[in-house]
Amino acid sequence: MTDFQVATSLSSTTMRSLPVELLEAVLGQVSSQSTLLQLRASNSLFYILATPLAFQSISLINSDKSLNRFHHITDCDNLARHIHQVVYQYEEADPSAPVRQCNVQGFDGISFVKALAIISQLPSLKDLVLKFRANDGPFALGENYLRFSSPLKSLTIDHFLPLPHPSFGEPTVIRLLGTLTQLTINTTINCPAFGMSSPPSDVSAFPIYPTEAFSSSLVSLQLHHESLRPPTMIAPLTELHLPRLAHLSIQRHYFSDIREVENFIARHGETLVELKLFLCPMATSAAATLRSKENPAPYRRWAQVWDRLRPELKVLKNLIVSERNDSNGIEDGSLGRYVDFDYRPITVGLGKAEMKDDEDALKRLKLVVESRVGA
């Protein structure tokens, strides 16, 4: 049934005579907030039943109208206590509108800071989604805005500009991230301050977040880049262990014979049930791989990676490896299976025999993974 059909049925006298438990189950099938608000206004019973559903997720943008509406909702304790998720979406201002003053780089400062001050005081908040302006600034705010009344369980940051900032290691940030079970960071495009060569010129500035920022309670971790990035730019993968990690998705991280990403995946072989790799090439250049005594070969091969991970990933049930498309299904022909670094990554072609070795090794891994589905 559509939301309209559900709403029409619920408005009938017969439906209102049904047990409350059944009405709650039917209301739970309504996804449209506007429909829930209409039902809430129809009678006193639906006012009680529909209120928690209508206000469990709130979206707002960087405008005075949206912020005022958010203020109106959160000023009412009976509504604020039902908010479990807040989605903040930056939208470009109308060119004909007056220019805002006192903008903070990275977001529309006035509306965002005001909104976050309110968001942090919501008593039941569990899920926060922040969609910033592309290619602008890092997620860095003062201590007063990062003291949340309710421990967050899920945090998503879109258009995160991966620039080092002193605030990322502050105790308030550590506390904010320390209760998460799900963390998603999607970075934005290149910052002019850092070239694309690898490794980055100032490796001491990375990773951006220290080890203690990653909660041992994390079940799901997504680190997606919009351009090819070093494996440890966001997280210290070489030393990080997340004992409950079940879902891992990474995009545009390069693998290498240093094996940061590879070792991180293998380290979680006892818990990972889902692994997604989008546009993750193998780096072949000495500048990127820094060949070690343990691995004097020119570069690591994907066949070696898949054969190593096959016995390590003991509970994996879902494996996605995409060399051509990103997580949104958009094709990216700039990266191949192997890349060499100069100023920009250059695709390296291998012989047919070597490519077949890689593909056969991946097939062997997929067969093992598929054998667990439904088992």
Side-chain angles (χ1 to χ4, degrees):
M1 296 177 69
T2 65
D3 284 353
F4 175 77
Q5 290 171 323
V6 173
T8 302
S9 299
L10 285 171
S11 298
S12 69
T13 304
T14 304
M15 286 295 286
R16 290 201 301 272
S17 66
L18 293 173
V20 171
E21 293 79 6
L22 185 55
L23 289 174
E24 288 177 328
V26 176
L27 278 170
Q29 302 303 310
V30 180
S31 57
S32 167
Q33 187 184 43
S34 60
T35 302
L36 287 167
L37 291 173
Q38 290 173 8
L39 288 168
R40 179 175 176 265
S42 64
N43 60 62
S44 58
L45 176 59
F46 287 160
Y47 180 90
I48 296 171
L49 296 180
T51 293
L53 298 172
F55 294 96
Q56 64 182 349
S57 180
I58 300 295
S59 298
L60 65 152
I61 64 173
N62 52 310
S63 72
D64 291 335
K65 181 179 179 180
S66 180
L67 186 59
N68 289 336
R69 174 179 173 271
F70 188 56
H71 266 292
H72 178 73
I73 294 171
T74 56
D75 280 346
C76 178
D77 292 340
N78 187 45
L79 301 182
R81 66 188 178 91
H82 295 301
I83 300 175
H84 297 296
Q85 181 192 57
V86 173
V87 178
Y88 176 86
Q89 171 72 60
Y90 176 85
E91 291 190 1
E92 291 294 340
D94 182 348
S96 63
V99 177
R100 286 183 177 273
Q101 301 298 317
C102 304
N103 281 353
V104 179
Q105 187 180 24
F107 32 78
D108 185 6
I110 295 175
S111 64
F112 178 75
V113 171
K114 284 183 178 180
L116 192 58
I118 302 169
I119 293 169
S120 65
Q121 299 306 309
L122 293 173
S124 304
L125 185 68
K126 301 298 180 186
D127 182 5
L128 178 60
V129 179
L130 303 174
K131 299 181 179 181
F132 292 138
R133 182 167 51 194
N135 194 28
D136 204 339
F139 175 52
L141 284 168
E143 178 177 331
N144 294 336
Y145 302 108
L146 295 176
R147 295 184 180 276
F148 281 71
S149 298
S150 175
L152 280 182
K153 295 300 180 184
S154 177
L155 175 63
T156 298
I157 306 176
D158 266 344
H159 290 144
F160 176 91
L161 185 62
L163 285 175
H165 193 282
S167 69
F168 293 144
E170 290 180 355
T172 48
V173 176
I174 304 301
R175 286 196 296 271
L176 171 66
L177 302 177
T179 59
L180 299 178
T181 58
Q182 183 273 331
L183 175 62
T184 295
I185 297 179
N186 303 319
T187 68
T188 186
I189 60 178
N190 300 304
C191 172
F194 293 91
M196 290 184 64
S197 59
S198 176
S201 55
D202 184 11
V203 293
S204 62
F206 300 100
I208 287 176
Y209 286 108
T211 302
E212 54 270 25
F214 293 87
S215 169
S216 61
S217 62
L218 271 179
V219 174
S220 176
L221 177 62
Q222 175 175 306
L223 300 174
H224 284 191
H225 294 309
E226 204 167 306
S227 60
L228 193 61
R229 295 290 190 181
T232 56
M233 173 167 275
I234 299 293
L237 298 186
T238 52
E239 57 193 54
L240 192 60
H241 180 238
L242 305 171
R244 301 179 184 179
L245 187 66
H247 307 274
L248 175 64
S249 180
I250 60 176
Q251 179 170 278
R252 293 190 179 92
H253 288 62
Y254 62 72
F255 284 61
S256 73
D257 62 6
I258 298 296
R259 309 186 196 182
E260 299 102 329
V261 183
E262 180 184 337
N263 287 342
F264 179 78
I265 294 171
R267 198 179 306 133
H268 296 84
E270 299 282 351
T271 58
L272 275 177
V273 296
E274 182 178 62
L275 174 62
K276 299 179 181 180
L277 305 176
F278 299 98
L279 302 170
C280 292
M282 180 68 70
T284 65
S285 70
T289 60
L290 301 174
R291 287 181 295 173
S292 62
K293 294 179 181 178
E294 292 76 20
N295 185 27
Y299 51 85
R300 190 150 175 81
R301 292 274 308 285
W302 276 113
Q304 295 172 295
V305 175
W306 304 135
D307 284 341
R308 180 208 173 174
L309 292 179
R310 191 169 69 253
E312 297 276 7
L313 298 173
K314 295 179 171 59
V315 295
L316 193 69
K317 293 185 177 182
N318 185 27
L319 173 65
I320 296 176
V321 179
S322 177
E323 296 179 357
R324 300 289 297 178
N325 297 90
D326 66 13
S327 58
N328 296 315
I330 300 173
E331 186 173 351
D332 182 352
S334 66
L335 299 174
R337 187 178 300 176
Y338 294 86
V339 296
D340 196 358
F341 283 96
D342 186 5
Y343 176 71
R344 295 181 179 276
I346 302 172
T347 300
V348 175
L350 269 67
K352 291 183 178 179
E354 289 83 1
M355 297 292 275
K356 187 176 185 302
D357 286 344
D358 291 345
E359 291 157 8
D360 288 346
L362 179 56
K363 287 179 183 177
R364 289 192 293 270
L365 172 58
K366 286 184 174 181
L367 284 174
V368 172
V369 172
E370 290 167 1
S371 69
R372 300 192 185 106
V373 178

